[in-house]
Amino acid sequence: QQVFSLLEKSWSGSSVQFAWQKTLGNFLAVTGGDRAVKIFDRHGQKKNEISLPGICVAMDWDKDGDTLAIITDKSSAIFLWDANTNKTSQVDSGMRDVMSFLLWSRVGTLLAVGTTKGNLLIYNPQTSRKIPVLGKHTKRITCGCWSTENLLALGGEDKMITISNQEGDTIRQTSVSSDPSDMQFSVMKTDERISTRESTVSVVVGKKTLFLFNLNDPDNPIDLKFQQPYGSIVTYRWYGDGYIMIGFSRGCFVVISTHIREIGQEIFQAHNHKDNLSSIAISQSLNKAASCGDNCIKIHDLADLREMYAIINLDDENKGVDQLAWTDDGQLLAVSTRRGSLHVFLTKLPVLGDACSTRIAFLTSLLEVTIANHVERELPVTVSVEVEPSFVAIGVYHLAVGMNNRAWFYALEENNVKKLKDVEYLGTVASMHLNSDYAAALFEGKVQLHMIESGGLDAQEERETRLFPADDDKCRILCHALTSDFLIYGTDTGIIHYFYIEDWQYVNEYRHPVSVRKIFPDPNGTRLAFIDDKSDGFIYCPVNDKLYEIPNFSPTIKGILWENWPMDKGVFVAFDDDKVYTYVFHKDAIQGSKVILAGGTEVPFSYKPLLLYNGELTCQTQSGKTNNIYLSTHSFLGNLKDLGPNELRKMLTQTLILKRFSEAWEVCKLLNDQSCWNELAKACLHHMEVDFAIRVYRTSGDAGMVMSLEQIKGIEDHNLLAGHLAMFTSDFNLAQDLYLASSSPIAALEMRKDLQHWDSALQLAKRLAPDQIPFISKEYAMQLEFTGDYINALAHYEKGITGNNKEHDEACLAGVAQMLIRMGDIRRGVNQAIKHPSRLLKRDCGAILESMKQFSEAAQLYEKGQYYDKAASVYIRCKNW
């Protein structure tokens, strides 16, 4: 994307020199065949013009970008332009001859100036100290470089290379076979990586060879020669771990390694330009390399040089392109041409964007914001803004952009955008949020909430603006958000405050053990995702003051987006630089609310998620565009008809995790498998979707479940309904807990009785219905008797006696008699059985005694029960004639 082009009459037909301001990249110094250096800002506006006594020979910015130094062919003075004050000054070099070389130190404030006769001046503008070194070279100094240790390497027409310290003393020198040019300091790759000091000077010799001079091994320099068809060396750049990219005049560039084992070996070679190559540039911050030649620029990714990142064609440049340079941050790329023009391209935009509902606003050029709504299919609107913003905020009816402590507000009207006003704040704004009426700006630990458009005469003045926190609150606000109703903010003391704008007062606060770093409310403000100082993630529900931890939460997460599709209220994504993780908050589940990780989706490098709508993620890119990514967790939204059973089962799992029951229904129809319908039905019960569960069970032909669910579907008590559903899924302990927490706890007792869980029923009866204890005790005793636990059976039969229920008590007493006999207390048992009115009991007790070989007692009971023939047979067996 081209930002601007410069074509001054005075440059016409001459080659153009230019230099980006170091570090900041806010200014571009340009000179042509005229006697002037023109300073432009990064938007192409001319800021100054420095008139010179001759043609500019060299210019260079100091390491911080504060001062531009210039020398000319007609003066021994050094010209200095101060970027902060926009003032030009001159320094007399004290040299008698003409200047030929100029370079600032990379680490200090030293400026090296070389002359046509080989003399050197080292100047420190901070101390005004000048160190003249006469006869450093015998002929013109043509090239040089500083190391990070402040060593100065110089090359001259005397075919010598000198290495000097910052005092100007020569500490090494060597001769070369032809004219040196393009000198650079770097670190060579060695096997024993002891130090990372820059000990190697590289220099092009005679445009044909690359000469590597190692200061630690001065007697063994390396001369690298290249293939004849490549042509002459135009330029080269070190990058990465000891690699050199070399551009050749006939259009190709080559990457070589300087590792001692593979020195000079070609790692990569590309014929980028048909006829010639004129320059290469590398951006470390972008990890990109650019070459220019003929009339085009080609940009490669250093991570994979085979990948062509971009091609920029300059069709109007019939004389071809010349030099190429990036700003330090990689945002802007400038290229000069042989006819005397300069083009500046945007290669990386600050990724600034914001979303409000389904509308997004994002930076599309340095001075342009685009507003789009792909969901509503609205045409995008571009807004030209006055400054290069550092923040962007979008609301229902407004756009805000700003930098430092100022913000500019725009009203979004039907077909156009109207500038409203600009506002100054009490500090540098870190972030801003808008709703339909208000803006909230965060700066220096405070939030200012104010109306975007004043409400006129009848607006209450105290409702116009407010500063948070209050003066007596000694906390710093670290993050904030604005919903249609609330200003929400988190502090370094771990408190999340809810301020209700309608009533102009606080309505809720939550105290967290550590600082709250980032907050992300859902569209309604009823759920809040937040990240704390330990990089843990949580969901907070202000309605019931409950907190739920987000599981498997990566510490690298940068932000969270909630789903804007109205049917998917619990879905949100958390994203870092590489991946987007889909989560779903299961609020109405019979096991209770919790957050589930549904899956992850890879995200291309430098994509920033802005908006999530029905599984589609809109991301902003560094090129000022948006791209859409479909979450892997929502792949069921694609075409299902061509999928096999295994893929369909995966889709079913996805739909059930995300509670997308209508889509799950379609998958089940395609699978046509009873086990899948059962899975869907169970998931419906789990999420308390009773009506949908009835529909599924009806399709499956399970009349019993349909009837059971029909009976309970009108129940409004959440716990009671959940208890019934837990019981239907055979989770009886959970069902009991839910029943007990409901308005009808007795249901827990009824369930245990129906299940014949008498022990549990007895425990519940003690709390809920003591009058039922005797009846449950009797049932429990019968169960214990059946399993052979006669001791406990006796105890429960005895507990079952009420004293006022004749029929029930007789059954219990009968049990007591039988248990006494079985336990060996025969006398008491027999007496109990004799007293009891039941004939059957006497017969049963007699049979028990007979089996225990207690014949006389057995016969006695048979006789009492009028079973004479049984009594007679027992008497005969024991020979009691």
Side-chain angles (χ1 to χ4, degrees):
Q1 180 181 336
Q2 185 154 330
V3 182
F4 61 88
S5 285
L6 301 172
L7 180 56
E8 303 261 325
K9 272 187 185 171
S10 56
W11 301 340
S12 186
S14 62
S15 64
V16 176
Q17 277 188 72
F18 65 93
W20 281 112
Q21 179 191 27
K22 293 212 178 89
T23 311
L24 303 167
N26 285 335
F27 295 112
L28 181 64
V30 192
T31 184
D34 54 346
R35 298 181 164 204
V37 170
K38 298 180 174 76
I39 311 285
F40 297 89
D41 70 10
R42 60 198 274 124
H43 308 297
Q45 300 297 314
K46 191 191 287 186
K47 291 295 174 188
N48 205 333
E49 184 168 328
I50 304 158
S51 296
L52 302 170
I55 289 173
C56 172
V57 171
M59 57 182 175
D60 190 34
W61 292 89
D62 73 340
K63 69 176 177 66
D64 297 319
D66 293 330
T67 308
L68 175 71
I70 305 162
I71 53 174
T72 74
D73 62 350
K74 293 282 191 292
S75 167
S76 59
I78 305 161
F79 296 84
L80 301 174
W81 180 72
D82 189 314
N84 301 312
T85 63
N86 198 9
K87 296 278 188 341
T88 308
S89 57
Q90 288 184 39
V91 176
D92 184 9
S93 69
M95 297 285 183
R96 300 283 175 202
D97 46 337
V98 177
M99 311 278 127
S100 62
F101 168 80
L102 168 128
L103 196 68
W104 284 98
S105 160
R106 286 155 62 199
V107 288
T109 55
L110 300 178
L111 178 66
V113 184
T115 74
T116 52
K117 291 186 179 172
N119 300 318
L120 170 69
L121 173 73
I122 297 175
Y123 170 62
N124 187 337
Q126 279 190 345
T127 61
S128 299
R129 185 185 180 209
K130 297 174 190 167
I131 304 171
V133 185
L134 302 176
K136 174 63 73 174
H137 285 255
T138 56
K139 290 183 179 176
R140 172 195 290 264
I141 294 173
T142 55
C143 59
C145 58
W146 287 94
S147 80
T148 47
E149 270 84 39
N150 256 353
L151 295 178
L152 175 65
L154 294 170
E157 287 179 355
D158 56 359
K159 300 184 178 62
M160 292 296 291
I161 292 170
T162 59
I163 315 290
S164 311
N165 62 21
Q166 60 193 48
E167 297 296 318
D169 307 321
T170 303
I171 57 170
R172 288 267 189 280
Q173 68 178 43
T174 187
S175 61
V176 288
S177 58
S178 187
D179 283 346
S181 62
D182 204 349
M183 192 176 278
Q184 297 173 33
F185 257 108
S186 194
V187 183
M188 259 178 79
K189 285 174 78 172
T190 54
D191 283 335
E192 53 290 324
R193 197 26 100 57
I194 305 154
S195 99
T196 53
R197 291 177 60 179
E198 294 184 335
S199 56
T200 302
V201 176
S202 54
V203 62
V204 175
V205 176
K207 303 281 186 194
K208 292 292 178 195
T209 62
L210 189 62
F211 182 78
L212 303 179
F213 181 60
N214 189 339
L215 305 189
N216 301 327
D217 189 9
D219 299 329
N220 295 302
I222 297 165
D223 229 351
L224 298 175
K225 293 182 172 59
F226 299 94
Q227 296 175 36
Q228 201 77 31
Y230 290 168
S232 55
I233 297 174
V234 174
T235 183
Y236 69 96
R237 294 283 179 271
W238 288 81
Y239 76 92
D241 194 15
Y243 294 105
I244 306 176
M245 182 179 286
I246 307 160
F248 292 93
S249 58
R250 290 186 186 159
C252 75
F253 75 81
V254 170
V255 176
I256 63 165
S257 167
T258 62
H259 194 290
I260 210 71
R261 289 188 197 154
E262 50 189 29
I263 189 100
Q265 194 175 314
E266 288 189 12
I267 306 292
F268 181 80
Q269 187 257 337
H271 198 101
N272 255 13
H273 306 282
K274 183 168 167 274
D275 295 324
N276 81 333
L277 179 148
S278 56
S279 181
I280 58 175
I282 283 179
S283 168
Q284 303 286 3
S285 63
L286 277 186
N287 207 34
K288 302 275 188 291
S291 72
C292 68
D294 304 331
N295 59 354
C296 83
I297 302 164
K298 293 189 175 179
I299 301 175
H300 292 258
D301 198 320
L302 286 178
D304 182 3
L305 285 164
R306 288 165 302 185
E307 189 180 313
M308 189 72 74
Y309 176 74
I311 299 173
I312 303 167
N313 287 306
L314 296 157
D315 298 328
D316 300 340
E317 296 299 339
N318 48 10
K319 290 190 177 177
V321 291
D322 192 15
Q323 294 303 306
L324 194 63
W326 249 300
T327 52
D328 284 355
D329 62 5
Q331 265 195 24
L332 299 171
L333 177 67
V335 60
S336 61
T337 71
R338 297 190 197 281
R339 72 180 175 108
S341 63
L342 187 85
H343 302 274
V344 174
F345 297 93
L346 191 62
T347 51
K348 181 186 93 169
L349 260 179
V351 181
L352 289 180
D354 190 30
C356 175
S357 183
T358 55
R359 179 187 279 160
I360 57 174
F362 55 101
L363 203 60
T364 41
S365 187
L366 293 175
L367 295 171
E368 181 186 87
V369 173
T370 296
I371 299 164
N373 192 333
H374 307 305
V375 175
E376 304 289 338
R377 302 190 184 281
E378 291 175 11
L379 287 171
V381 178
T382 56
V383 184
S384 296
V385 295
E386 307 196 2
V387 292
E388 197 176 316
S390 58
F391 63 87
V392 171
I394 184 92
V396 184
Y397 308 115
H398 304 94
L399 168 74
V401 300
M403 66 178 297
N404 299 333
N405 68 331
R406 283 181 76 185
W408 284 259
F409 289 89
Y410 300 83
L412 309 177
E413 296 176 348
E414 191 71 32
N415 295 316
N416 68 330
V417 177
K418 186 179 83 180
K419 189 185 164 194
L420 286 175
K421 61 178 179 179
D422 62 298
V423 177
E424 282 199 29
Y425 298 94
L426 301 171
T428 301
V429 176
S431 63
M432 179 177 276
H433 298 291
L434 312 180
N435 66 12
S436 54
D437 300 310
Y438 285 87
L442 171 65
F443 53 86
E444 294 169 15
K446 294 180 167 54
V447 165
Q448 186 169 345
L449 177 70
H450 65 88
M451 287 191 90
I452 301 168
E453 299 182 56
S454 296
L457 296 171
D458 53 340
Q460 297 164 284
E461 253 180 60
E462 75 271 8
R463 303 278 307 254
E464 288 269 329
T465 183
R466 179 161 170 174
L467 196 63
F468 300 86
D471 293 337
D472 55 347
D473 197 344
K474 300 290 179 241
C475 67
R476 281 177 61 79
I477 296 176
L478 302 181
C479 52
H480 78 302
L482 200 57
T483 69
S484 54
D485 298 314
F486 300 103
L487 166 69
I488 310 164
Y489 64 82
T491 70
D492 59 347
T493 54
I495 300 176
I496 296 173
H497 284 284
Y498 278 72
F499 181 81
Y500 185 37
I501 298 169
E502 180 72 27
D503 292 348
W504 208 247
Q505 64 183 22
Y506 290 105
V507 290
N508 192 64
E509 77 171 44
Y510 164 72
R511 292 176 180 271
H512 194 62
V514 295
S515 306
V516 176
R517 211 164 58 209
K518 292 178 181 176
I519 58 172
F520 311 93
D522 74 350
N524 302 324
T526 54
R527 294 164 190 160
L528 179 81
F530 71 87
I531 302 171
D532 69 11
D533 214 34
K534 293 179 177 174
S535 298
D536 292 327
F538 299 90
I539 299 294
Y540 171 64
C541 294
V543 177
N544 56 11
D545 210 36
K546 290 275 176 64
L547 190 74
Y548 307 95
E549 188 167 358
I550 303 175
N552 309 107
F553 195 76
S554 165
T556 57
I557 294 297
K558 297 273 173 66
I560 289 169
L561 289 176
W562 286 90
E563 174 63 81
N564 275 277
W565 191 56
M567 310 304 287
D568 247 0
K569 288 198 167 61
V571 175
F572 62 94
V573 293
F575 58 87
D576 58 19
D577 289 334
D578 309 310
K579 214 166 182 189
V580 172
Y581 302 88
T582 307
Y583 288 95
V584 55
F585 177 48
H586 288 169
K587 182 176 175 288
D588 296 316
I590 55 177
Q591 273 93 343
S593 305
K594 64 175 171 179
V595 183
I596 305 283
L597 174 63
T601 309
E602 299 287 333
V603 172
F605 175 73
S606 82
Y607 273 40
K608 184 198 169 192
L610 264 187
L611 172 73
L612 176 63
Y613 189 86
N614 197 15
E616 190 177 356
L617 196 64
T618 303
C619 297
Q620 210 180 334
T621 69
Q622 286 184 342
S623 60
K625 295 185 174 68
T626 59
N627 265 339
N628 289 4
I629 294 169
Y630 291 92
L631 298 178
S632 62
T633 48
H634 289 63
S635 49
F636 56 82
L637 294 170
N639 185 10
L640 299 173
K641 291 200 167 72
D642 305 328
L643 298 179
N646 290 342
E647 280 85 3
L648 282 171
R649 283 179 188 277
K650 283 180 195 164
M651 299 297 148
L652 180 61
T653 305
Q654 279 184 8
T655 55
L656 296 182
I657 288 174
L658 294 171
K659 301 197 303 181
R660 299 284 288 253
F661 297 125
S662 298
E663 287 84 354
W665 177 278
E666 296 305 320
V667 175
C668 286
K669 269 167 61 179
L670 288 169
L671 280 163
N672 196 22
D673 181 330
Q674 188 55 49
S675 66
C676 297
W677 288 111
N678 292 346
E679 207 177 324
L680 172 55
K682 200 171 175 187
C684 291
L685 296 181
H686 174 79
H687 291 293
M688 303 179 65
E689 295 281 346
V690 178
D691 286 327
F692 209 100
I694 290 170
R695 189 179 155 198
V696 177
Y697 280 119
R698 197 165 271 141
T699 304
S700 302
D702 190 336
M705 273 305 277
V706 171
M707 289 170 70
S708 300
L709 289 168
E710 287 282 2
Q711 284 178 328
I712 65 163
K713 78 173 183 182
I715 294 173
E716 289 180 6
D717 183 327
H718 181 279
N719 287 328
L720 184 58
L721 179 61
H724 287 318
L725 296 173
M727 181 175 68
F728 294 160
T729 58
S730 304
D731 195 340
F732 303 121
N733 291 340
L734 175 63
Q736 176 174 312
D737 293 341
L738 289 163
Y739 283 141
L740 291 174
S742 76
S743 57
S744 179
I746 200 78
L749 177 59
E750 297 303 324
M751 175 189 76
R752 290 299 185 187
K753 283 165 62 181
D754 290 344
L755 293 166
Q756 298 188 350
H757 293 171
W758 302 114
D759 191 14
S760 299
L762 205 52
Q763 298 299 322
L764 291 168
K766 284 174 188 170
R767 281 167 52 194
L768 302 171
D771 56 322
Q772 288 199 33
I773 290 173
F775 305 101
I776 295 166
S777 289
K778 185 196 92 171
E779 299 290 349
Y780 192 18
M782 288 166 71
Q783 189 183 59
L784 291 166
E785 180 184 351
F786 183 72
T787 58
D789 186 354
Y790 303 133
I791 296 171
N792 284 317
L794 172 63
H796 282 92
Y797 276 131
E798 286 174 338
K799 274 185 200 166
I801 299 166
T802 62
N804 58 13
N805 186 324
K806 185 169 181 285
E807 192 178 329
H808 169 80
D809 286 357
E810 281 181 357
C812 290
L813 287 166
V816 169
Q818 285 177 309
M819 292 309 104
L820 286 169
I821 292 167
R822 285 193 183 280
M823 286 164 58
D825 194 347
I826 291 167
R827 188 174 57 80
R828 272 183 67 206
V830 168
N831 287 340
Q832 188 77 46
I834 289 169
K835 279 193 288 181
H836 201 281
S838 168
R839 278 183 70 220
L840 285 173
L841 173 66
K842 293 178 179 64
R843 185 197 68 188
D844 292 344
C845 288
I848 295 167
L849 287 163
E850 197 176 343
S851 68
M852 293 165 68
K853 297 194 168 44
Q854 301 292 325
F855 298 122
S856 61
E857 289 85 352
Q860 185 185 354
L861 279 174
Y862 284 143
E863 198 175 334
K864 292 281 184 191
Q866 298 175 9
Y867 294 100
Y868 299 119
D869 51 344
K870 279 185 174 291
S873 98
V874 172
Y875 282 135
I876 292 164
R877 282 177 66 191
C878 60
K879 301 190 172 68
N880 191 349
W881 306 107

